[in-house]
Amino acid sequence: GVVNYLVTLGIDDYQAQLVQVYPNPASQSINIKNSSETIQIEFCEIIDQYGKLIATQTLNVDNAQINISNITPGFYFVRLHT
């Protein structure tokens, strides 16, 4: 499976550079790394190309790993909520 992501955060470019989602493409899991001291990511959503919500996970740490092995291969968006 492949998970692609698009970062469209409502924050300045400097702060956006402090949030990483990797690897891309991914098949088993994706990692979310938040190096910002001012942004707290509350949860993330995985959304398919048709806008359907596929998965949601609460994030309470700056470095999280999300299992995606049960998601059908395809093109997905990762939406991070602060």
Side-chain angles (χ1 to χ4, degrees):
V2 175
V3 172
N4 292 306
Y5 66 94
L6 174 65
V7 177
T8 56
L9 301 174
I11 55 177
D12 65 51
D13 289 339
Y14 172 73
Q15 291 295 327
Q17 292 175 5
L18 297 176
V19 177
Q20 300 174 337
V21 180
Y22 62 94
N24 184 15
S27 59
Q28 298 298 311
S29 65
I30 57 172
N31 301 295
I32 299 174
K33 181 178 180 182
N34 180 10
S35 300
S36 172
E37 295 179 9
T38 58
I39 297 172
Q40 177 64 38
I41 300 172
E42 296 178 10
F43 66 98
C44 79
E45 297 174 327
I46 298 177
I47 302 163
D48 73 9
Q49 62 186 341
Y50 303 107
K52 180 181 176 186
L53 180 63
I54 303 299
T56 301
Q57 182 165 333
T58 302
L59 304 175
N60 56 6
V61 295
D62 289 334
N63 298 307
Q65 187 173 65
I66 300 170
N67 181 355
I68 59 164
S69 62
N70 59 340
I71 296 176
T72 304
F75 184 84
Y76 297 89
F77 298 94
V78 175
R79 180 183 296 159
L80 303 175
H81 292 264
T82 58

Coordinates of all heavy atoms in Angstrom, one line a residue:
G1 N 0.8 -1.2 0.0 CA 0.0 0.0 0.0 C 0.9 1.2 0.0 O 2.0 1.2 0.5
V2 N 0.3 2.3 -0.4 CA 1.0 3.6 -0.5 C 0.2 4.7 0.2 O -1.0 4.8 -0.1 CB 1.3 4.0 -2.0 CG1 1.9 5.4 -2.0 CG2 2.2 3.0 -2.6
V3 N 0.8 5.4 1.0 CA 0.1 6.6 1.6 C 0.9 7.8 1.2 O 2.1 7.9 1.5 CB 0.0 6.5 3.1 CG1 -0.5 7.8 3.7 CG2 -0.9 5.3 3.5
N4 N 0.3 8.7 0.5 CA 0.9 10.0 0.1 C 0.3 11.0 1.0 O -0.8 10.8 1.6 CB 0.7 10.3 -1.3 CG 1.4 9.4 -2.3 OD1 2.6 9.2 -2.1 ND2 0.7 8.8 -3.2
Y5 N 0.9 12.2 1.2 CA 0.4 13.2 2.0 C 0.6 14.6 1.4 O 1.4 14.8 0.6 CB 1.0 13.2 3.4 CG 2.5 13.5 3.5 CD1 2.9 14.8 3.7 CD2 3.4 12.5 3.2 CE1 4.3 15.1 3.7 CE2 4.8 12.8 3.2 CZ 5.2 14.1 3.5 OH 6.5 14.4 3.5
L6 N -0.3 15.5 1.8 CA -0.3 16.8 1.4 C -0.4 17.7 2.7 O -1.3 17.6 3.4 CB -1.5 17.1 0.5 CG -1.7 18.6 0.1 CD1 -0.5 19.1 -0.8 CD2 -3.0 18.7 -0.7
V7 N 0.6 18.5 2.9 CA 0.6 19.4 4.1 C 0.0 20.7 3.7 O 0.6 21.4 2.9 CB 2.0 19.5 4.7 CG1 2.0 20.5 5.9 CG2 2.6 18.2 5.1
T8 N -1.1 21.0 4.3 CA -1.7 22.3 4.1 C -2.2 22.9 5.5 O -3.3 22.8 5.8 CB -3.0 22.2 3.2 OG1 -3.9 21.3 3.7 CG2 -2.6 21.8 1.8
L9 N -1.2 23.3 6.2 CA -1.5 23.8 7.6 C -1.7 25.3 7.6 O -1.1 26.0 6.8 CB -0.3 23.5 8.5 CG 0.1 22.0 8.6 CD1 1.4 21.8 9.5 CD2 -1.0 21.2 9.3
G10 N -2.5 25.8 8.5 CA -2.8 27.2 8.6 C -1.8 27.9 9.5 O -2.2 28.6 10.4
I11 N -0.5 27.6 9.3 CA 0.5 28.2 10.1 C 1.6 28.7 9.1 O 1.6 28.4 7.9 CB 1.1 27.2 11.1 CG1 1.6 25.9 10.4 CG2 0.1 26.9 12.1 CD1 2.2 24.9 11.2
D12 N 2.5 29.5 9.7 CA 3.6 30.0 8.8 C 4.5 28.9 8.3 O 4.6 27.9 8.8 CB 4.3 31.2 9.5 CG 5.1 30.8 10.7 OD1 5.9 29.8 10.6 OD2 5.0 31.4 11.7
D13 N 5.2 29.2 7.2 CA 6.1 28.2 6.6 C 7.1 27.7 7.5 O 7.5 26.5 7.5 CB 6.8 28.8 5.3 CG 5.8 29.1 4.2 OD1 4.7 28.4 4.2 OD2 6.1 29.9 3.3
Y14 N 7.7 28.5 8.4 CA 8.7 28.1 9.3 C 8.2 27.0 10.2 O 8.8 25.9 10.4 CB 9.3 29.2 10.2 CG 10.2 28.8 11.3 CD1 11.5 28.3 11.0 CD2 9.8 28.7 12.6 CE1 12.3 27.9 12.0 CE2 10.6 28.3 13.6 CZ 11.9 27.9 13.3 OH 12.7 27.4 14.3
Q15 N 7.0 27.2 10.8 CA 6.4 26.2 11.7 C 6.0 24.9 10.9 O 6.2 23.8 11.5 CB 5.2 26.8 12.4 CG 5.5 27.9 13.4 CD 6.3 27.4 14.6 OE1 6.2 26.3 15.0 NE2 7.2 28.2 15.1
A16 N 5.5 25.1 9.7 CA 5.2 23.9 8.9 C 6.4 23.0 8.6 O 6.3 21.8 8.6 CB 4.5 24.3 7.6
Q17 N 7.6 23.6 8.5 CA 8.8 22.8 8.3 C 9.2 22.0 9.5 O 9.9 21.0 9.4 CB 9.9 23.7 7.9 CG 9.8 24.4 6.6 CD 10.9 25.4 6.3 OE1 11.8 25.6 7.0 NE2 10.7 26.1 5.2
L18 N 8.6 22.3 10.7 CA 8.9 21.5 11.9 C 8.1 20.3 12.1 O 8.3 19.6 13.0 CB 8.8 22.5 13.1 CG 9.8 23.7 13.1 CD1 9.5 24.6 14.3 CD2 11.2 23.2 13.1
V19 N 7.1 20.1 11.1 CA 6.3 18.9 11.2 C 6.6 18.0 10.0 O 6.6 18.5 8.9 CB 4.8 19.3 11.2 CG1 3.9 18.0 11.1 CG2 4.4 20.2 12.3
Q20 N 7.0 16.8 10.3 CA 7.4 15.8 9.2 C 6.4 14.6 9.2 O 6.1 14.1 10.3 CB 8.8 15.3 9.4 CG 9.8 16.4 9.4 CD 11.2 15.9 9.8 OE1 11.3 14.9 10.4 NE2 12.2 16.6 9.3
V21 N 6.0 14.2 8.0 CA 5.3 12.9 7.9 C 6.1 12.1 6.9 O 6.3 12.5 5.8 CB 3.9 13.2 7.3 CG1 3.1 11.9 7.2 CG2 3.1 14.2 8.2
Y22 N 6.4 10.9 7.3 CA 7.3 10.0 6.5 C 7.1 8.6 6.9 O 6.5 8.3 8.0 CB 8.8 10.4 6.7 CG 9.3 10.3 8.1 CD1 10.0 9.1 8.5 CD2 9.1 11.3 9.1 CE1 10.4 9.0 9.8 CE2 9.6 11.2 10.3 CZ 10.2 10.0 10.7 OH 10.7 9.9 12.0
P23 N 7.5 7.6 6.1 CA 8.0 7.7 4.7 C 6.9 8.0 3.7 O 5.7 7.8 4.0 CB 8.7 6.4 4.5 CG 7.9 5.4 5.3 CD 7.4 6.2 6.5
N24 N 7.3 8.4 2.5 CA 6.4 8.5 1.5 C 7.0 8.0 0.2 O 8.0 8.6 -0.3 CB 6.0 10.0 1.3 CG 5.0 10.2 0.2 OD1 4.3 9.3 -0.2 ND2 4.8 11.5 -0.2
P25 N 6.6 6.9 -0.4 CA 5.4 6.2 0.0 C 5.6 5.3 1.2 O 6.7 5.1 1.6 CB 5.1 5.3 -1.3 CG 6.5 5.1 -1.9 CD 7.2 6.4 -1.6
A26 N 4.5 4.8 1.8 CA 4.5 3.9 2.9 C 3.6 2.8 2.7 O 2.6 2.8 2.0 CB 4.1 4.7 4.2
S27 N 3.9 1.7 3.4 CA 3.0 0.5 3.3 C 2.6 -0.1 4.6 O 1.5 -0.7 4.7 CB 3.7 -0.6 2.4 OG 4.9 -1.0 3.1
Q28 N 3.4 0.0 5.6 CA 3.1 -0.6 6.9 C 2.7 0.5 8.0 O 1.8 0.3 8.8 CB 4.3 -1.4 7.5 CG 4.6 -2.6 6.6 CD 3.5 -3.6 6.5 OE1 2.9 -4.0 7.5 NE2 3.2 -3.9 5.3
S29 N 3.4 1.6 8.0 CA 3.2 2.6 9.0 C 3.7 4.0 8.5 O 4.6 4.0 7.6 CB 3.8 2.3 10.3 OG 5.2 2.3 10.2
I30 N 3.2 5.0 9.1 CA 3.7 6.4 8.8 C 4.1 7.0 10.1 O 3.5 6.7 11.2 CB 2.7 7.3 8.1 CG1 1.4 7.4 8.8 CG2 2.5 6.8 6.7 CD1 0.5 8.5 8.3
N31 N 5.1 7.8 10.1 CA 5.6 8.5 11.3 C 5.3 10.0 11.2 O 5.4 10.6 10.1 CB 7.1 8.3 11.4 CG 7.5 6.9 11.5 OD1 7.2 6.2 12.4 ND2 8.2 6.4 10.4
I32 N 4.9 10.5 12.3 CA 4.6 12.0 12.4 C 5.5 12.5 13.5 O 5.5 12.1 14.6 CB 3.1 12.3 12.7 CG1 2.3 11.7 11.6 CG2 2.9 13.7 12.9 CD1 0.8 11.8 11.8
K33 N 6.4 13.4 13.0 CA 7.3 14.0 14.0 C 7.1 15.5 14.1 O 7.1 16.2 13.1 CB 8.8 13.8 13.5 CG 9.8 14.4 14.4 CD 11.2 14.1 13.9 CE 12.2 14.6 14.9 NZ 13.6 14.4 14.4
N34 N 6.8 16.0 15.3 CA 6.5 17.4 15.5 C 7.7 18.0 16.3 O 7.8 17.7 17.5 CB 5.2 17.5 16.3 CG 4.9 19.0 16.6 OD1 5.5 19.9 16.1 ND2 3.9 19.2 17.4
S35 N 8.5 18.8 15.7 CA 9.6 19.4 16.3 C 9.3 20.8 16.8 O 10.2 21.5 17.4 CB 10.8 19.5 15.4 OG 11.2 18.2 15.0
S36 N 8.1 21.3 16.6 CA 7.7 22.6 17.0 C 7.4 22.7 18.5 O 6.8 21.8 19.1 CB 6.5 23.1 16.3 OG 6.0 24.3 16.8
E37 N 7.8 23.8 19.1 CA 7.5 24.0 20.5 C 6.2 24.7 20.7 O 5.7 24.8 21.8 CB 8.6 24.8 21.2 CG 9.9 24.0 21.3 CD 11.1 24.8 21.9 OE1 10.8 25.9 22.5 OE2 12.2 24.3 21.9
T38 N 5.7 25.3 19.6 CA 4.4 26.1 19.7 C 3.2 25.4 19.1 O 2.1 25.8 19.3 CB 4.6 27.4 19.1 OG1 5.0 27.2 17.7 CG2 5.7 28.2 19.8
I39 N 3.4 24.3 18.3 CA 2.3 23.6 17.7 C 2.1 22.3 18.4 O 3.0 21.5 18.6 CB 2.6 23.3 16.2 CG1 2.7 24.6 15.5 CG2 1.5 22.5 15.6 CD1 3.2 24.4 14.0
Q40 N 0.9 22.0 18.8 CA 0.5 20.7 19.4 C -0.5 20.0 18.5 O -1.6 20.6 18.3 CB -0.1 20.9 20.8 CG -0.6 19.6 21.5 CD 0.6 18.7 21.8 OE1 1.6 19.1 22.2 NE2 0.4 17.4 21.6
I41 N -0.1 18.9 17.9 CA -1.0 18.2 17.0 C -1.9 17.3 17.9 O -1.4 16.5 18.7 CB -0.2 17.3 16.0 CG1 0.7 18.2 15.2 CG2 -1.1 16.5 15.2 CD1 1.7 17.4 14.3
E42 N -3.2 17.5 17.8 CA -4.1 16.8 18.6 C -4.5 15.4 18.0 O -4.6 14.5 18.7 CB -5.4 17.7 18.8 CG -5.1 18.9 19.6 CD -6.3 19.8 19.8 OE1 -7.4 19.3 19.5 OE2 -6.1 20.9 20.3
F43 N -4.8 15.4 16.7 CA -5.1 14.2 16.1 C -4.9 14.3 14.6 O -4.7 15.4 14.0 CB -6.6 13.7 16.4 CG -7.6 14.6 15.8 CD1 -8.3 14.3 14.6 CD2 -8.0 15.8 16.5 CE1 -9.3 15.1 14.1 CE2 -9.0 16.6 16.0 CZ -9.7 16.2 14.8
C44 N -4.9 13.1 13.9 CA -4.7 13.1 12.5 C -5.8 12.2 11.9 O -6.4 11.4 12.5 CB -3.3 12.6 12.1 SG -3.1 10.8 12.2
E45 N -6.1 12.5 10.6 CA -7.0 11.8 9.8 C -6.4 11.3 8.5 O -5.6 12.1 8.0 CB -8.2 12.7 9.5 CG -9.0 13.2 10.7 CD -10.1 14.2 10.3 OE1 -9.9 15.0 9.3 OE2 -11.1 14.2 10.9
I46 N -6.8 10.2 8.1 CA -6.3 9.7 6.8 C -7.6 9.7 5.9 O -8.6 9.1 6.3 CB -5.7 8.3 6.9 CG1 -4.5 8.3 7.8 CG2 -5.4 7.7 5.5 CD1 -3.8 7.0 8.0
I47 N -7.5 10.4 4.8 CA -8.6 10.6 3.9 C -8.3 10.1 2.5 O -7.2 10.4 2.0 CB -8.9 12.1 3.9 CG1 -9.2 12.6 5.3 CG2 -10.1 12.4 2.9 CD1 -9.2 14.1 5.5
D48 N -9.2 9.4 1.9 CA -9.0 8.9 0.5 C -9.2 10.0 -0.5 O -9.6 11.1 -0.2 CB -9.8 7.6 0.2 CG -11.3 7.9 0.0 OD1 -11.7 9.0 -0.1 OD2 -12.0 6.9 -0.1
Q49 N -8.9 9.7 -1.7 CA -9.0 10.6 -2.8 C -10.4 11.2 -3.1 O -10.6 12.2 -3.8 CB -8.4 10.1 -4.1 CG -9.1 8.8 -4.6 CD -8.4 8.2 -5.8 OE1 -7.5 8.9 -6.4 NE2 -8.7 7.0 -6.1
Y50 N -11.4 10.5 -2.6 CA -12.8 10.9 -2.7 C -13.3 11.8 -1.6 O -14.4 12.2 -1.5 CB -13.7 9.7 -3.0 CG -13.2 8.9 -4.1 CD1 -12.6 7.7 -3.9 CD2 -13.3 9.4 -5.4 CE1 -12.2 6.9 -5.0 CE2 -12.9 8.6 -6.5 CZ -12.3 7.4 -6.3 OH -11.9 6.7 -7.4
G51 N -12.4 12.0 -0.6 CA -12.8 12.7 0.6 C -13.4 11.9 1.7 O -13.8 12.5 2.7
K52 N -13.4 10.6 1.6 CA -13.9 9.7 2.6 C -12.9 9.6 3.8 O -11.7 9.3 3.5 CB -14.3 8.4 2.0 CG -14.8 7.4 3.1 CD -15.1 6.1 2.4 CE -15.6 5.1 3.5 NZ -15.8 3.7 2.9
L53 N -13.3 9.7 5.0 CA -12.5 9.5 6.2 C -12.2 8.0 6.3 O -13.2 7.2 6.5 CB -13.1 10.1 7.4 CG -12.4 10.0 8.7 CD1 -11.0 10.8 8.6 CD2 -13.2 10.5 9.9
I54 N -11.0 7.6 6.3 CA -10.6 6.2 6.4 C -10.1 5.8 7.8 O -10.5 4.8 8.3 CB -9.4 5.9 5.4 CG1 -9.8 6.3 4.0 CG2 -8.9 4.5 5.5 CD1 -11.0 5.5 3.4
A55 N -9.4 6.8 8.5 CA -8.9 6.5 9.8 C -8.7 7.8 10.6 O -8.4 8.8 10.0 CB -7.7 5.6 9.8
T56 N -8.8 7.7 11.9 CA -8.5 8.8 12.8 C -7.7 8.3 13.9 O -8.0 7.2 14.4 CB -9.8 9.4 13.3 OG1 -10.6 9.9 12.3 CG2 -9.5 10.6 14.2
Q57 N -6.7 9.1 14.3 CA -5.9 8.7 15.5 C -5.5 9.9 16.3 O -5.1 10.9 15.8 CB -4.6 7.9 15.1 CG -3.8 7.5 16.3 CD -2.8 6.5 15.9 OE1 -2.9 5.7 15.0 NE2 -1.7 6.4 16.7
T58 N -5.8 9.8 17.6 CA -5.4 10.8 18.6 C -3.9 10.8 18.7 O -3.3 9.7 18.8 CB -6.1 10.6 19.9 OG1 -7.5 10.6 19.7 CG2 -5.7 11.7 20.9
L59 N -3.2 12.0 18.7 CA -1.8 12.0 18.9 C -1.6 12.8 20.2 O -2.0 14.0 20.3 CB -1.1 12.8 17.8 CG -1.4 12.1 16.4 CD1 -0.8 13.0 15.3 CD2 -0.9 10.7 16.3
N60 N -0.9 12.2 21.2 CA -0.6 12.9 22.4 C 0.9 13.0 22.7 O 1.3 13.3 23.8 CB -1.3 12.3 23.6 CG -1.0 10.8 23.7 OD1 -0.2 10.3 23.0 ND2 -1.7 10.1 24.6
V61 N 1.7 12.7 21.6 CA 3.1 12.8 21.7 C 3.7 13.5 20.5 O 3.0 13.7 19.5 CB 3.8 11.4 21.8 CG1 3.4 10.7 23.1 CG2 3.4 10.6 20.6
D62 N 4.9 14.0 20.6 CA 5.5 14.7 19.5 C 6.0 13.8 18.3 O 6.1 14.2 17.2 CB 6.7 15.6 20.0 CG 6.2 16.8 20.8 OD1 5.0 17.2 20.6 OD2 7.0 17.3 21.6
N63 N 6.2 12.5 18.7 CA 6.6 11.5 17.7 C 5.6 10.4 17.7 O 5.6 9.7 18.7 CB 8.0 11.1 17.9 CG 9.0 12.2 17.8 OD1 9.0 12.9 16.8 ND2 9.8 12.4 18.9
A64 N 4.9 10.2 16.6 CA 3.9 9.1 16.6 C 4.1 8.2 15.4 O 4.6 8.7 14.4 CB 2.5 9.7 16.6
Q65 N 3.7 7.0 15.6 CA 3.7 6.0 14.5 C 2.3 5.5 14.3 O 1.7 5.0 15.2 CB 4.7 4.9 14.7 CG 4.8 4.0 13.5 CD 5.9 2.9 13.8 OE1 5.8 2.1 14.7 NE2 7.0 3.0 13.0
I66 N 1.8 5.6 13.0 CA 0.4 5.1 12.8 C 0.5 3.9 11.8 O 1.1 4.0 10.8 CB -0.4 6.3 12.1 CG1 -0.4 7.5 13.0 CG2 -1.8 5.8 11.7 CD1 -0.9 8.7 12.4
N67 N -0.2 2.9 12.3 CA -0.2 1.6 11.5 C -1.2 1.8 10.3 O -2.4 2.2 10.5 CB -0.7 0.5 12.4 CG -0.8 -0.8 11.7 OD1 -0.6 -0.9 10.5 ND2 -1.1 -1.9 12.4
I68 N -0.7 1.6 9.1 CA -1.6 1.7 7.9 C -1.6 0.4 7.2 O -2.1 0.4 6.0 CB -1.1 2.9 7.0 CG1 0.3 2.6 6.6 CG2 -1.3 4.2 7.7 CD1 0.8 3.5 5.4
S69 N -1.2 -0.7 7.8 CA -1.1 -2.0 7.0 C -2.5 -2.5 6.6 O -2.6 -3.3 5.7 CB -0.3 -3.0 7.9 OG -1.0 -3.2 9.1
N70 N -3.5 -2.0 7.3 CA -4.9 -2.5 7.0 C -5.6 -1.6 6.0 O -6.8 -1.9 5.7 CB -5.7 -2.6 8.3 CG -5.8 -1.3 9.0 OD1 -5.0 -0.4 8.8 ND2 -6.8 -1.2 9.9
I71 N -4.9 -0.6 5.5 CA -5.5 0.3 4.5 C -5.2 -0.2 3.1 O -4.1 -0.5 2.8 CB -5.1 1.7 4.7 CG1 -5.5 2.2 6.1 CG2 -5.6 2.6 3.6 CD1 -5.0 3.6 6.5
T72 N -6.2 -0.2 2.3 CA -6.1 -0.6 0.9 C -5.1 0.3 0.2 O -5.1 1.5 0.3 CB -7.4 -0.6 0.1 OG1 -8.3 -1.4 0.8 CG2 -7.3 -1.1 -1.3
P73 N -4.1 -0.3 -0.6 CA -3.2 0.6 -1.4 C -3.9 1.6 -2.2 O -5.0 1.4 -2.8 CB -2.4 -0.4 -2.3 CG -2.6 -1.7 -1.6 CD -3.9 -1.7 -0.9
G74 N -3.4 2.8 -2.2 CA -4.0 3.9 -3.0 C -3.4 5.3 -2.6 O -2.3 5.3 -2.0
F75 N -4.1 6.3 -3.0 CA -3.6 7.7 -2.8 C -4.4 8.2 -1.6 O -5.7 8.2 -1.7 CB -3.8 8.5 -4.0 CG -3.3 9.9 -3.9 CD1 -1.9 10.2 -4.1 CD2 -4.1 11.0 -3.6 CE1 -1.5 11.5 -4.0 CE2 -3.6 12.3 -3.4 CZ -2.3 12.5 -3.7
Y76 N -3.8 8.7 -0.6 CA -4.4 9.2 0.6 C -3.9 10.6 1.0 O -2.7 10.9 0.7 CB -4.3 8.3 1.8 CG -5.0 6.9 1.5 CD1 -4.3 5.9 0.9 CD2 -6.3 6.7 1.8 CE1 -4.9 4.7 0.6 CE2 -6.9 5.5 1.5 CZ -6.2 4.5 0.9 OH -6.8 3.3 0.7
F77 N -4.6 11.3 1.8 CA -4.2 12.6 2.4 C -4.1 12.3 3.9 O -5.0 11.6 4.5 CB -5.2 13.7 2.1 CG -5.3 14.1 0.7 CD1 -6.3 13.5 -0.1 CD2 -4.4 14.9 0.1 CE1 -6.4 13.8 -1.5 CE2 -4.5 15.2 -1.3 CZ -5.5 14.7 -2.0
V78 N -3.1 13.0 4.5 CA -3.0 13.0 6.0 C -3.3 14.4 6.4 O -2.6 15.3 6.0 CB -1.6 12.5 6.4 CG1 -1.5 12.6 8.0 CG2 -1.3 11.1 6.0
R79 N -4.4 14.5 7.2 CA -4.8 15.8 7.7 C -4.4 15.9 9.2 O -4.9 15.0 10.0 CB -6.3 16.0 7.6 CG -6.7 17.4 8.1 CD -8.2 17.6 8.0 NE -8.6 17.6 6.5 CZ -9.9 17.3 6.1 NH1 -10.8 17.0 7.0 NH2 -10.1 17.3 4.8
L80 N -3.6 16.9 9.6 CA -3.2 17.0 11.0 C -4.0 18.2 11.6 O -4.1 19.3 11.0 CB -1.7 17.3 11.1 CG -0.8 16.3 10.4 CD1 0.6 16.7 10.5 CD2 -1.0 14.9 11.1
H81 N -4.6 17.9 12.7 CA -5.4 18.9 13.4 C -4.6 19.4 14.7 O -4.1 18.7 15.4 CB -6.7 18.4 13.9 CG -7.6 18.0 12.8 ND1 -8.6 18.8 12.4 CD2 -7.6 16.9 12.0 CE1 -9.2 18.3 11.3 NE2 -8.7 17.1 11.1
T82 N -4.5 20.8 14.8 CA -3.8 21.4 15.9 C -4.8 22.0 16.8 O -6.0 22.2 16.5 CB -2.8 22.4 15.4 OG1 -3.5 23.4 14.7 CG2 -1.7 21.8 14.5

